[in-house]
Amino acid sequence: MSGVTVAGPVAPGGGTGASGGSLVPVFVGLKLALMRNGLRQSAKRRVAYVLSVVFTLLFAAALTLSLVLLRGNGDAATVVVLLAGMLALGWAVMPLFFPSGDETLDPSRLVMLPLRPGPLTRALLVSSLVGTGPLFTLSLAVGSAVALARGAGGAVFAVAAVPVLLLGCVVLARAVATANVRLLSSRKGRDLAILSGLFVAVGAQGVNFASQRLAQQGGLDVLEPVVAVVRWLPPASAMGSVDAASEGSYGVAAAQLLLAVAGVAGLAWSWQRSLTRLMVSPDGSTLAAAGPERDRRVSGLSRLLPGGRTGAVMLRTLRYVWRDPKTKSAWVTSLAVGLIVPVFNALQGTGSVYLACMGAGMLGVQMYNQFGQDTSAFWMVAQTIAGPADAYAELRARAYALALVTVPYTLLVVVVTAAMVGDWEKLPEVLGLSLALLGGMLCAGAVGSARMPYSIPSEGAFKNVAPGQAGLAWLSILVGLLVAGLVCAPVIVLTVVLHVNGSGLLWLVLPVGAVWGLLAAWAGLRSSAPVVARRLPEILAAVSKG
């Protein structure tokens, strides 16, 4: 926040001598100073900012022109109302996924200043209107109003709907960010930021599916039930009022516009309450524990795991999955994609039960680079490995932890896909192929972890390889996939032969695949254990580079 100094005499009651009107230019100047100082940090940042602004303006201009060209079209109301709803949804979720994108979204930076909540809320609201995001939203709001407004009544409601929609989106984003500011600045908030890629991927699949369904239906009439609901949800109801006024339904238009205004007012009230609570309530992380010391009893999960080293390593691995942001991101992405691909293909009518193998394949990749996932903390694990037996126990327990989740997940994906496709006859062979593939991935992961380890940097949400190790990482992945394919090839050949012969013994693929997967995983773990014990110093050096 360098570059702007907020000062003023303290008013009685903990307020400030500056009124709400005088705070507004100060906070607008603060927002501009933050933007200016950020651009001074490096030439690359300036170029990236300029390019992003140019791209945003061009995209906004293209969308606005498209909306204007919709004027008079019968589907204009459907498109505009849904666009307004999606715009509001985007403003609501973006602060959760990209909390570091705007430093002014964190009002906890102002807790030490003697500012009253009312003037502070107004000043933050006005400063929030500065930036490319509000400009983009304003452009779409204007284009939407032009597309819907017809006649004098429609024009009057359009003039009122544009600022209401803009303020609704901005206030919604501020209310969400302020209510979750402590979460966004914590480790769980960083988890949300890393999982933003998953949100975008799933959303893209949803948009793709929806567009294909619309193409099959041959029109937007199928969306009318959704539009009928969205046009009464603030702030999208502001655009619904323009359409209603253009149709001559002034009573409905007034109700929808008043609902939008009431929604914005309610969000502003909620935002101010959250801001007040944030300014006067201490952060829980700064308070000493008031209650008795927490009982360190064994958790329910650990009671279900085997004893000794095996259970301890399994519990540690599962805790990494739950607590480490990058590990959690990789697992959640694999779980989602492994289910989305077969399900979405089945919904589109192009599905195959064999696509259920994606579930085992996606989670099997998590066995790759096992020691690199520990980063520099691997040195503590290395202290417990005195020979091949210890290395085998370590690798085996990690494989057990992976299988504890992957095996039931694979069964779930296969059953769901078979049910949606309606091809129950192929369920045994597909499940057998999936288990064989999982065993091959465990085998390849153990081999790659022992022979081609690389470091995963702790910093940077999307930085997964240390500098200078990108080639090694790609080689490890490619060799691992090749090894996994070769290992499970006999089961694939058996399935093909049984199909060609028209034999009724395809159910044998299930037990054969399960046994073959177990043998492959055991062979990979056994052969990799001596290598880990022998190359332990090299592995420790490789995974500690980040």
Side-chain angles (χ1 to χ4, degrees), residues 500-537:
V500 171
N501 293 336
S503 174
L505 300 177
L506 281 167
W507 61 270
L508 287 175
V509 177
L510 175 55
V512 171
V515 173
W516 187 264
L518 284 173
L519 291 175
W522 173 82
L525 297 173
R526 273 295 181 187
S527 62
S528 300
V531 180
V532 171
R534 185 176 66 252
R535 300 186 67 244
L536 194 58

Side-chain angles (χ1 to χ4, degrees), residues 99 180-192 325:
N180 296 278
V181 65
R182 296 246 167 95
L183 168 67
L184 298 178
S185 58
S186 66
R187 177 177 56 81
K188 291 184 178 180
R190 293 192 293 271
D191 292 353
L192 285 174

Side-chain angles (χ1 to χ4, degrees), residues 20 62 132 144 222 267 385 393 405 455:
T132 56
S144 300
V222 68
L267 287 172
I385 299 178
V405 178
S455 177

Side-chain angles (χ1 to χ4, degrees), residues 14-241:
T16 179
S19 65
S22 62
L23 273 182
V24 171
V26 172
F27 274 78
V28 172
L30 175 61
K31 179 68 174 284
L32 295 175
L34 286 171
M35 297 170 60
R36 183 174 61 250
N37 293 342
L39 295 177
R40 288 175 177 173
Q41 293 182 5
S42 67
K44 291 183 178 179
R45 186 163 184 173
R46 287 193 294 272
V47 171
Y49 180 78
V50 171
L51 290 177
S52 65
V53 170
V54 171
F55 176 79
T56 301
L57 293 178
L58 291 176
F59 188 51
L63 285 178
T64 303
L65 179 60
S66 301
L67 289 170
V68 172
L69 293 177
L70 277 176
R71 182 179 175 83
N73 189 287
D75 294 325
T78 300
V79 174
V80 168
V81 172
L82 285 180
L83 179 63
M86 293 175 61
L87 199 61
L89 178 63
W91 275 89
V93 300
M94 284 303 104
L96 297 177
F97 290 132
F98 302 103
S100 60
D102 185 356
E103 291 176 299
T104 64
L105 284 175
D106 185 3
S108 62
R109 298 169 181 262
L110 307 173
V111 294
M112 299 302 295
L113 299 177
L115 303 173
R116 292 186 182 276
L120 178 61
T121 302
R122 291 191 291 271
L124 286 174
L125 175 60
V126 175
S127 65
S128 299
L129 297 174
V130 177
T132 56
L135 180 60
F136 178 81
T137 304
L138 178 61
S139 300
L140 295 190
V142 171
S144 300
V146 172
L148 292 181
R150 297 186 305 277
V156 170
F157 275 88
V159 172
V162 169
V164 170
L165 178 60
L166 175 62
L167 290 175
C169 291
V170 174
V171 173
L172 178 60
R174 280 290 185 174
V176 172
T178 303
N180 296 278
V181 65
R182 296 246 167 95
L183 168 67
L184 298 178
S185 58
S186 66
R187 177 177 56 81
K188 291 184 178 180
R190 293 192 293 271
D191 292 353
L192 285 174
I194 290 179
L195 292 176
S196 60
L198 175 62
F199 175 81
V200 173
V202 175
Q205 289 290 336
V207 171
N208 178 49
F209 174 68
S211 62
Q212 292 188 9
R213 296 287 289 182
L214 288 177
Q216 294 173 1
Q217 294 289 337
L220 298 179
D221 294 340
V222 68
L223 296 177
E224 283 301 328
V226 180
V227 175
V229 175
V230 176
R231 67 170 62 246
W232 288 97
L233 297 178
S237 59
M239 286 300 155
S241 70

